[in-house]
Every structure is written in C-alpha cells, then in structure tokens.
Amino acid sequence: MDHYDSQQTNDYMQPEEDWDRDLLLDPAWEKQQRKTFTAWCNSHLRKAGTQIENIEEDFRDGLKLMLLLEVISGERLAKPERGKMRVHKISNVNKALDFIASKGVKLVSIGAEEIVDGNVKMTLGMIWTIILRFAIQDISVEETSAKEGLLLWCQRKTAPYKNVNIQNFHISWKDGLGFCALIHRHRPELIDYGKLRKDDPLTNLNTAFDVAEKYLDIPKMLDAEDIVGTARPDEKAIMTYVSSFYHAFSGAQKAETAANRICKVLAVNQENERLMEDYEKLASDLLEWIRRTIPWLENRVPENTMHAMQQKLEDFRDYRRLHKPPKVQEKCQLEINFNTLQTKLRLSNRPAFMPSEGRMVSDINNAWGCLEQAEKGYEEWLLNEIRRLERLDHLAEKFRQKASIHEAWTDGKEAMLRQKDYETATLSEIKALLKKHEAFESDLAAHQDRVEQIAAIAQELNELDYYDSPSVNARCQRICDQWDNLGALTQKRREALERTEKLLETIDQLYLEYAKRAAPFNNWMEGAMEDLQDTFIVHTIEEIQGLTTAHEQFKATLPDADKERLAILGIHNEVSKIVQTYHVNMAGTNPYTTITPQEINGKWDHVRQLVPRRDQALMEEHARQQHNERLRKQFAAQANVIGPWIQTKMEEIGRISIEMHGTLEDQLSHLRQYEKSIVNYKPKIDQLEGDHQLIQEALIFDNKHTNYTMEHIRVGWEQLLTTIARTINEVENQILTRDAKGISQEQMNEFRASFNHFDRKKTGMMDTDDFRACLISMGYNMGEAEFARIMSIVDPNRLGVVTFQAFIDFMSRETADTDTADQVMASFKILAGDKNYITVDELRRELPPDQAEYCIARMAPYTGPDAVPGALDYMSFSTALYGESDL
C-alpha cells in the first residue's frame, strides 16, 4: 500500500520505493487498477472528445497524457511534438511529467522512457500520482485533507445508515452498502435503501454502479464480481472511484449555490417585471370594468312592472354584494402592488415604475369616483321607481286579494240559495235553515262594503292608467252582476222558508201534544203490563189481600184510560189531515216520540188480556196463604208449650245439682225420676218435628205466632238430655269418691257449702280466683308454685275452671294423707316382723300373685346400710303401694 505524509506539501504523495514492486504484482489488484484508472481518465478525456482503450499503449506518445493534464488542470501545456519517432514521444511524456512536477509532485522511479516503452507498472503509478494530485489532494473535511479527508467525508455521510461502517478504502466497501448510502444521502429518490440487504453484495454494488453511471455521470470504474471475489479490494481503485462521488456531489452543491445566487437576482427581476405586468393588467381590467359598469348605472329607463324593477334592484344588489367587493379588493391590491413595486425598485437601485398613460393610480381613483357617483344616483332612482310601482302593484294586489276573497265567498252561494232542502226538512231543521239564512243575510250585508271597495280600487287603477286595467274592469263587472243576483235569490229563499215554517209549526204543535200525552199513557200501559205479569212472592195472608185490593183499584181506572187512548189517536189523525190538505212533504215521523198509534193499540189490547189472568193468579195465591196460616198456628200451639217446659226442667236439674237436701243417694234417685219423665216427653218432640216438616215443605220461613223455632227446640232438648245425664254422672262419681275416701255425709255437705259459696257466677264451676279464695278460707297457706301444683291436679286440661267433682277429689285426698301413712307403716311392720325390710318371697307368700308381682315390678331397690338383695325397705314398699306423691 502507498503511504504519504500529509504534513509536507512537497512530498505528501511521494510513494515508497516498493509500492510498485509488492502491490502491483498482485494480478487481481492490477486488473482493478487498470480498469479503474482507465475509466477515470476517460471520464475527463471525453470532455475533450476522446478516450483511451489501453492505458499502457494509449499514453506512450504522450499526446493524450498531455491532453488529460490540460483537461483536469484547466491549464495549457507546452506545444506537443507531432512526430512519430521515439524521441518525439519521450519529449511529450517529459513535458507531461514536468507539468506534474511543477504542481509540487515529486516523482520517484518514473521516467519518460518507461512510459514510452509501455511499462504497465510505471504507467499505473504515474496515473495514480495524477489522481492523488488532482482528485484527492484538494479534498478537505474538518481540518483533514487528502485521503483522511475523503475517509472522514465518507464516514460523515454514511453515519446515519445501519450496517454501514466505513473504516478504510478496501473491505469496508465490499458489501456495496457504502456506495448506496452515499448516493441515497445526496439523492434519496434514486435508491430505495430500505430494500437493500447486507448479504447480497453483488446486487448492492451493481445497483450503486448503475445508478452512479446513469444519474450522476460517474463512469463504472469497478466490477462488482472483482470486489466480491477479492479478499481485499484494491485501495487505490476504491479511493479513485469514491473521489468521483465526492467531486460529483460537492461540485453539484457548488453549482447549485452559484445557480441559486444567480436565480435569486433573476427572481427579483422577474418578480418586479411580473408585478409591473400584473399592475398593467389589473389596472386595465379594472378600468375596463368601470367603463362597462358606469353606463349600466346611468341607465334610467323605467320598467312597467314591479317584477322588472325588482329584478333591476336585485341585479344592483348582486352588483353591490358580488361584483363590486372583488373590484374594491382589486383596487386596494393594485395600490398595494404599486407601492410594493416602487419600494423593491428603489431598494434594487432600479428606476421607478411609470405605468402606461391613463393607468396611473390617480386615474383609477378618478374613474372609481365617477363609478360611485353613478352608483349613488342609480340607487336613488331605483328606490323612487320601486316606490312608484309599489303603489300600483299594491292597489292591483289589493284588488286581486279582495276579488279572490269575494269570489271564494260567493263560490257555491247561488247553488245553495236555489236549493229546496226545506221541502223535506223537519221544523227544527227549518228553524235551523232560517237561522242559517239570517246569518247568510248578515254576511251578505257585511260583504257589501267589500264589493264597493273592489269597485273603488278598480276605478283608481283606471285613473292611474294601470297597464292591466281591462282585465281588472272585466273582473269587477262580473263581481257586481253576481252580487245583484245573490240579493234576488236571498229574498226568494227567505219567503219559501217562512211559509214552510208556519205549516210545520202547526204540525209540530200537534206532534208535541201527541208526544206529551202518548208518553205517559205508554208508560202507564208498560207499567200495567209489567205489574200484571209480575211474579209476586208473598208469605202472609195480609200481603195477598193487599195485592188483591190494588188489582181491583187498577181495574177501576181502565175506562178513563180508554178515553185517553182515543183522544191521543185523534191528535194523530189531525196531523194526517193537514199533510194531505197542504201537500206537505213530511221528512220523517214525530220528532218528539217514537210511539206510534199502532203501538198504543197493541199494548192496550195486551193489557186487557192480562187482567183476567191476574185475577186467577191472585185467587190461587190467596187460597195457598190461608193453608199456610193454619200450619203456622198448629206449630206455634205446640212450640209455645214445649219450649217453656224444657227451660223449666233445665232450671230444676240445676237446683237439684247444687242443693244439699238429703243424701247423695236421695239426689241420685230424684234425678233418675226426672230423667224418666224427660224421656217420656219425647213423642211430643217428634210430633212437633212432623209439623215443622210440613211448614218447610210449604216454604214458610217466619211465624208471628211463636218465638220458638224448631232449631231452638232441638238444641234445648239436646241440652236437657245432656244436662240430666251429666248431673247423674257427677252424683254417682261423688258417691264413689265418698265411699273410697271414707268421707262422711257431713263432710260432703261442708264441701258442697264451700263450693256453692265461692261459685259466685252460679255456673256449677269455680274459676281460678274463686278456687284460690276457697283454699285460703279453708286454711291453706301457699305460694304460687304450690297453687300451680294444686291447679295441675284439679284442672289437668288447663280449662281455667274447677268442677265440684275435682274439688271433692282434691279435698278427700288431702284429708286422707295422714291416715294412709299410718296404715302403710302398720302393714309394713306386720309383714316385716322384727326386720326392717320385706323380701320378694315374703311378698309373694303373703299377697295374691297378681298384686305381689305388681308391687315387685314397682318397688325401688333398697339402698340402706342393712340392704338385702331383692328386699324392700319402708319407703320402697310405700312407693310400690301408693306412689311417691302420697308420701
């Protein structure tokens, strides 16, 4: 690789002695340099209209070499030798080498003879020296120059691109992305960089080479296959090709800057010229518009119709709203453009702009003033003319409106007045038609003013010479003729309505009289038929007698009713006579009623047929009620005896149960006698049941002869039987209690006396408070718990009452507790002897088998200090006999 010192301007490009010995021996590099250098030389030689094909042959005579140096330096070299001899060629090559040396390039080991002899290595070295001097030396980037400057420029331009890392001029360019990035950075429209792939270097390189050649005028100096196929591409070839990109883009930038500077100056001049042209055109157009508009505004020819004048006013408004505002803006813009143009010309040191004659700003202002003056006069004329036509149009419109209203009102009125609807109308309809006709007459009179106004307006339009006066006059005449005809028809209809009203009023009075008398008579007949057919229900003889009396009174009114019927029919016949005499066309039937003479006669005949049927029904019901009355009296006679008898027996049994006469056996005997007498009374109850069945079959529900019903008798009889049976049972239980407890008769009497005393309600039972008071009076001192225990004995069902049987059971039990304990102790000692217990065997021996087994089953095990298995102590024995409560 070549090395050079960038710090020394004389020999910075001086190659080392072995640059051509080592590097150019590589055939691949030599091939790359040959192609690259050839393409680079041709890129400049083509500017002179020539090129080279073989780099070592085409430069041998020195002519194209001198031409190349002139093109790339822009300077003229010494005149070349045109001879074909070797000496001439060496002279030309030396002239070229001397020029290169004059540019500060020190050539080492390169002589004219080697170039003339076609030494490839020397030729390539010479071209590389030229490239370094004229293509790379002047590159300067951020205080670096030549090779380092070019490398730094590449790094700065490719820094934003991914997968691009330029570190040298050989392997950093193998994938082709560096070339593509340089092109995309300056001309992004030429390459779609996003579609490139790092793993496709051939495509990347060819894309860059093709685009550079086609769009950037950079010849194709490298082959993609050579670069990809070489482990390390030739650095000189890469630098040469990359420097072309630098010069292409930097040259384009400089050219663009210069062009922009020129364009800016030209743009200012063009803008000024455009403003001048715009002013001239805008001024010309505006003056032309004013010239066309002023005659239109000065036209004062009036129109005959309001519509035409309104159209002119609308056109003027469009002018004000649509046409003039843009022109005002144009005028303002014209002045602005003029002032702006003068300012720009003054700043550019150009002479002031002088518009064409008649197009000065002052000329435009004068023309605009004339326009506004004409505009103001035109507007005043339009308004005055519109007001004048408005008056005529107002009168014409007023005439049309009033005429239309009148014609709409009269439409159908003649046909209405010619109607003969009164011939088939009722009186109420005739009166309604008369009211309606009176209203029409009032309306007709009110419209008289409108007709007169229509005529007056038509006269005024004629006087003002209205353009459509003939049609106005014809319409006014039709209205007046029609008005006279309506007046005649109105009078004729009133006379016909009044004549018809008188006839119908007479008929109406007869209709009303007929209705007033027919309605109550019809109601009377309907009521009579309803009463005569009514299915009456009576329960007493008095009720049927009342119905019979009312029926007789009704039959007495029948002659007068027949006279009323004939009078009503006479009224109807009078109406028929009037209709036939005056040929009245009746529209319908009587408006006050729907009752016809035929209906009256039919109902009258029906009433006369129902009267004898009612007589027969009343006679049959009277006989039935007489039979029912006999049944009531028969039942009452027995019930009035049985009811009191049952009540008496109930009271006697109650007295027996609480009285203390005689012994309990005497009371029991007495009660059984009562029971026998009660049972013997049963046939009378059965007989009463039979009478009651007859009453039910006759549907008799009340009986004023007695207060007793069969239900009362049954309930009383059942209570009587129950009471005597219960009382007998209580006495029998008292006898059993007395005998079982050993209670004397005197004690029983005491118990009865105490019970009766505290039975305050005399119901045969004490309530809870009465029972508590009774126990306290007998010396019991107890708390709530003890009283509750006693109540659980005497009232186990918790009914809240204490019967006499429960009372004597409790009292006999309380008095017998002490005797029972003594008897148990004596019995135990007899059976036990000297022992403190009784064995099971002893029980089985001394007691009957069933009682012994019962006692053994209930006995508690003896647990005392002298306990014997299977034996009973005193407490166990007592519990087995009487239970724990007795002890």
Side-chain angles (χ1 to χ4, degrees), residues 31 123 147 211 235 444 495 515 520 548 556 620 789 815 871:
K31 179 181 178 183
T123 303
K147 177 181 178 181
V211 170
E235 187 177 46
L444 186 68
E495 294 172 355
T548 302
E620 292 175 354
R789 184 188 70 80
T815 56

Side-chain angles (χ1 to χ4, degrees), residues 526-790:
E526 289 179 349
M529 288 188 293
E530 184 178 352
D531 293 340
L532 291 173
Q533 296 178 94
D534 188 18
T535 55
F536 52 83
I537 299 176
V538 295
H539 301 289
T540 64
I541 189 67
E542 290 81 5
E543 291 177 356
I544 191 61
Q545 288 175 351
L547 290 177
T548 302
T549 301
H551 183 63
E552 292 299 327
Q553 293 174 354
F554 168 74
K555 290 194 293 184
T557 63
L558 291 178
D560 292 335
D562 189 39
K563 292 180 181 178
E564 180 65 15
R565 179 181 67 86
L566 294 176
I568 293 171
L569 296 177
I571 295 172
H572 182 269
N573 293 334
E574 182 66 19
V575 172
S576 300
K577 182 178 179 182
I578 292 174
V579 169
Q580 294 176 0
T581 301
Y582 295 99
H583 305 287
V584 178
N585 188 3
M586 297 302 295
T589 58
N590 191 330
Y592 301 108
T593 182
T594 59
I595 303 171
T596 63
Q598 294 79 8
E599 187 176 354
I600 292 175
N601 288 330
K603 290 182 179 179
W604 176 255
D605 293 340
H606 192 202
V607 169
R608 294 179 63 83
Q609 293 172 4
L610 292 175
V611 170
R613 299 179 189 172
R614 186 70 170 183
D615 291 336
Q616 182 63 30
L618 290 173
M619 291 174 62
E620 292 175 354
E621 183 61 26
H622 188 271
R624 192 176 71 84
Q625 290 300 325
Q626 287 178 337
H627 177 263
N628 290 348
E629 186 66 16
R630 287 193 296 272
L631 291 177
R632 289 190 186 93
K633 291 179 179 180
Q634 181 178 337
F635 176 84
Q638 296 184 68
N640 289 336
V641 174
I642 294 175
W645 181 85
I646 292 175
Q647 184 66 30
T648 301
K649 292 302 179 182
M650 289 287 291
E651 293 174 356
E652 290 176 355
I653 292 171
R655 286 196 302 272
I656 293 174
S657 64
I658 63 176
E659 288 177 352
M660 297 178 290
H661 300 299
T663 63
L664 291 175
E665 285 79 1
D666 294 337
Q667 293 180 16
L668 181 61
S669 176
H670 196 186
L671 288 172
R672 284 177 175 168
Q673 290 177 2
Y674 263 85
E675 183 181 23
K676 185 177 180 180
S677 64
I678 289 171
V679 171
N680 292 335
Y681 203 78
K682 183 66 167 60
K684 294 184 178 180
I685 300 297
D686 295 338
Q687 183 180 357
L688 187 63
E689 285 282 3
D691 293 341
H692 178 67
Q693 183 175 358
L694 294 176
I695 287 177
Q696 285 186 327
E697 292 174 355
L699 299 178
I700 300 172
F701 302 105
D702 58 353
N703 192 342
K704 66 180 181 178
H705 302 294
T706 181
N707 292 326
Y708 294 99
T709 65
M710 194 63 221
E711 185 64 26
H712 292 154
I713 299 298
R714 290 194 193 102
V715 172
W717 176 255
E718 292 172 357
Q719 289 179 349
L720 180 60
L721 293 177
T722 303
T723 301
I724 189 62
R726 184 173 61 249
T727 303
I728 291 172
N729 179 257
E730 289 177 356
V731 174
E732 289 176 343
N733 290 334
Q734 293 173 17
I735 293 173
L736 291 174
T737 303
R738 182 198 63 187
D739 295 343
K741 301 295 184 178
I743 301 173
S744 63
Q745 184 63 41
E746 290 76 12
Q747 289 177 317
M748 290 294 295
N749 291 336
E750 290 177 4
F751 293 158
R752 170 58 71 179
S754 296
F755 187 86
N756 289 343
H757 176 75
F758 286 96
D759 181 14
R760 294 184 177 89
K761 298 178 182 178
K762 303 306 177 184
T763 61
M765 294 179 289
M766 289 188 291
D767 58 20
T768 304
D769 294 335
D770 293 340
F771 182 57
R772 183 193 296 271
C774 180
L775 292 178
I776 293 172
S777 69
M778 296 175 70
Y780 283 87
N781 186 11
M782 59 202 161
E784 290 296 330
E786 179 62 17
F787 181 71
R789 184 188 70 80
I790 295 173

Side-chain angles (χ1 to χ4, degrees), residues 837-840 859-862 867-873 876:
Y837 59 87
I838 303 174
T839 65
V840 175
M859 72 181 180
Y862 176 62
V868 177
L872 285 78
D873 63 359
S876 298

Side-chain angles (χ1 to χ4, degrees), residues 140-173:
S140 178
V141 178
E142 298 182 8
E143 298 181 356
T144 62
S145 60
K147 177 181 178 181
E148 285 76 10
L150 181 61
L151 182 62
L152 182 60
W153 177 79
C154 295
Q155 291 172 343
R156 292 288 183 269
K157 295 299 182 179
T158 60
Y161 293 87
K162 63 180 181 178
N163 298 328
V164 177
N165 184 17
I166 304 300
Q167 298 297 328
N168 49 56
F169 286 106
H170 39 80
I171 60 175
S172 294
W173 303 85

